[in-house]
């Protein structure tokens, strides 16, 4: 299908009934409740995969909302710990107050990290759009000074990332490497697919070569292959890195990495606020969005 058609499809998404988006997008979201999420984590564990839970919720503007999100994380952490499953949590800094006041985000994250630490659990800060890059890195570094089991994500499309990684390496941070999902201007972000892939490979290589733990989050075979080559060249054991993938994306690649003996963690989003996350995933993959639009129009499955 042409890129123009794909753009048209993506532009039409807001007109699609929410119920239909929900049905098609359900492969990307574990459900609305913590029990739904734990059932998904259990199914992944049966496949040999680990998980990280993300409570959906963005564009938070009130302090009480951030505290409600913090409390949901505390409940999720306790539930994971008592289930005995191999899972941790991923937190979007703006969901706990970074856009309101960095000290509020620090306070909420401190509570989350303290609860996780009491169970020996790791906490990851996701990386959001560029207005929050610097404040997220600072938040992660500040938390890391108190809680060793804290990590952050870094985006290969941002030109600054290679330099930012120096600070994270100095702190021996567990870093998740991803390409980046937000739309950023060319002044600050690489735009070519090949350039972003090169950047991804260079970041992973720099981090692993420095002896730090890398979480390699991609579904791109080329990025996986280059990471595997780096791991092989450095003769690293499977305890020095993990692969990460999103729930619902490329189970074949997931299976092949697990079968080859690599550790793999699946990002499992859940919660009532599923719509923004789901439409972002659909925009990323217009071929799925196309099925939604065809169903809306009463047409049969796409060829
Ligand atoms: C575990 C995890 C955590 C992440 N955390 C962050 C974060 O903190 N901040 C951030 O900005 N981004 C994050 N991302 C998102 C990441 O930046 C995007 O997924 C990125 O746009 C796609 O990267 P890719 O490496 O899969 O490569 P791409 O080149 O985009 O995709 C490679 C292949 O995977 C397929 N694919 C990719 N995404 C999907 C999808 N949603 N549905 C179906 N097929 C798909 C493509 O069709 C393509 O064939 C995370 C991703 C993962 C896997």
């Amino acid at each position: 299908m042409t890129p123009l058609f794909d753009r048209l499809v993506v532009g039409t998404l807001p007109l699609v009934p929410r119920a239909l988006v929900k049905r098609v997008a359900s492969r990307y979201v574990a459900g609305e409740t913590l029990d739904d999420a734990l059932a998904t984590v259990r199914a992944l564990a049966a496949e040999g995969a680990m998980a990280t839970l993300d409570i959906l919720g963005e564009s938070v503007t009130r302090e009480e909302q951030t505290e409600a999100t913090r409390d949901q994380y505390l409940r999720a952490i306790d539930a994971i710990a008592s289930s005995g499953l191999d899972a941790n949590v991923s937190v979007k800094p703006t969901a706990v107050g970074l856009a309101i006041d960095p000290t509020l985000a620090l306070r909420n994250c401190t509570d989350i990290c303290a609860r996780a630490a009491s169970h020996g659990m790791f906490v990851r800060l996701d990386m959001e759009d560029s207005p929050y890059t610097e404040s997220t890195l600072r938040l992660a570094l500040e938390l890391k000074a108190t809680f060793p089991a804290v990590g952050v994500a870094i985006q290969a499309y941002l030109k600054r990332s290679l330099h930012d990684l120096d600070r994270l390496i100095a702190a021996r941070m567990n870093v998740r490497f991803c390409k980046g999902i937000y739309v950023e201007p060319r002044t600050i972000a690489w735009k070519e697919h090949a350039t972003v892939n090169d950047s991804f490979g260079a970041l992973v290589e720099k981090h692993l070569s420095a002896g730090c733990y890398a979480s390699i989050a991609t579904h791109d075979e080329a990025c996986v292959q280059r990471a595997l080559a780096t791991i092989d060249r450095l003769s690293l054991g499977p305890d020095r890195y993990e692969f990460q993938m999103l729930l619902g994306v490329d189970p074949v690649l997931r299976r092949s990495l697990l079968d080859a003996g690599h550790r793999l963690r699946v990002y499992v989003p859940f919660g009532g606020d599923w719509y923004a996350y789901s439409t972002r995933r659909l925009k990323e993959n217009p071929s799925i969005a196309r099925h939604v639009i065809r169903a809306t129009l009463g047409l049969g499955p796409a060829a």
Side-chain angles (χ1 to χ4, degrees):
M1 204 54 67
T2 63
L4 176 64
F5 185 80
D6 281 348
R7 277 205 300 278
L8 269 174
V9 163
V10 164
T12 316
L13 263 181
L15 307 176
V16 174
R18 281 171 79 96
L20 194 57
V21 173
K22 186 173 185 177
R23 205 176 69 216
V24 177
S26 62
R27 62 185 274 194
Y28 299 122
V29 178
E32 299 201 1
T33 67
L34 180 55
D35 281 346
D36 294 335
L38 290 174
T40 300
V41 176
R42 222 168 269 119
L44 290 165
E47 275 184 42
M50 308 174 289
T52 184
L53 288 192
D54 166 50
I55 300 172
L56 293 171
E58 292 167 80
S59 306
V60 170
T61 52
R62 284 183 296 114
E63 190 167 331
E64 311 85 78
Q65 286 174 287
T66 72
E67 288 159 358
T69 300
R70 174 202 62 198
D71 292 345
Q72 279 182 286
Y73 270 103
L74 299 182
R75 280 194 293 278
I77 289 166
D78 288 342
I80 293 167
S82 56
S83 73
L85 291 161
D86 192 344
N88 58 39
V89 292
S90 290
V91 181
K92 285 200 170 35
T94 62
V96 287
L98 193 63
I100 301 171
D101 175 3
T103 58
L104 172 64
L106 178 62
R107 208 164 56 235
N108 284 327
C109 283
T110 299
D111 292 346
I112 292 169
C113 292
R115 182 68 63 88
S118 74
H119 297 297
M121 192 185 297
F122 179 85
V123 176
R124 169 91 53 200
L125 298 187
D126 287 344
M127 185 58 81
E128 298 171 270
D129 44 342
S130 56
Y132 305 108
T133 308
E134 185 57 34
S135 49
T136 298
L137 293 173
R138 286 192 187 160
L139 177 61
L141 288 164
E142 191 154 357
L143 290 166
K144 174 80 177 164
T146 311
F147 304 103
V150 167
V152 70
I154 204 162
Q155 295 151 328
Y157 64 20
L158 285 191
K159 295 177 182 174
R160 57 179 286 169
S161 289
L162 200 57
H163 182 58
D164 286 336
L165 192 55
D166 291 333
R167 282 188 278 170
L168 303 180
I169 287 174
R172 313 307 292 167
M173 186 88 82
N174 172 332
V175 175
R176 173 199 292 151
F177 297 92
C178 62
K179 289 191 186 179
I181 193 141
Y182 302 89
V183 179
E184 300 289 359
R186 189 158 172 239
T187 45
I188 62 165
W190 304 116
K191 290 290 171 184
E192 290 294 325
H193 185 258
T195 319
V196 175
N197 276 19
D198 256 12
S199 170
F200 191 102
L203 289 165
V204 170
E205 182 157 359
K206 180 170 172 170
H207 204 60
L208 288 173
S209 301
C212 294
Y213 189 95
S215 299
I216 305 156
T218 181
H219 321 94
D220 188 331
E221 281 191 355
C223 292
V224 169
Q225 189 280 333
R226 181 159 169 198
L228 289 173
T230 301
I231 288 161
D232 180 59
R233 189 175 58 73
L234 297 172
S235 304
L236 300 178
D239 57 329
R240 301 285 303 280
Y241 63 90
E242 66 190 49
F243 285 92
Q244 296 192 346
M245 296 177 64
L246 300 176
L247 183 67
V249 181
D250 206 342
V252 176
L253 181 60
R254 184 162 95 201
R255 188 68 262 153
S256 70
L257 285 167
L258 287 167
D259 286 346
H262 304 290
R263 282 151 43 87
L264 188 140
R265 190 178 302 277
V266 177
Y267 188 96
V268 177
F270 76 99
D273 203 356
W274 51 271
Y275 186 76
Y277 181 85
S278 304
T279 47
R280 232 185 12 246
R281 295 273 91 80
L282 290 172
K283 283 178 190 163
E284 243 186 292
N285 193 337
S287 68
I288 294 176
R290 212 158 43 233
H291 293 296
V292 183
I293 304 288
R294 289 186 68 90
T296 311
L297 299 176
L299 304 170

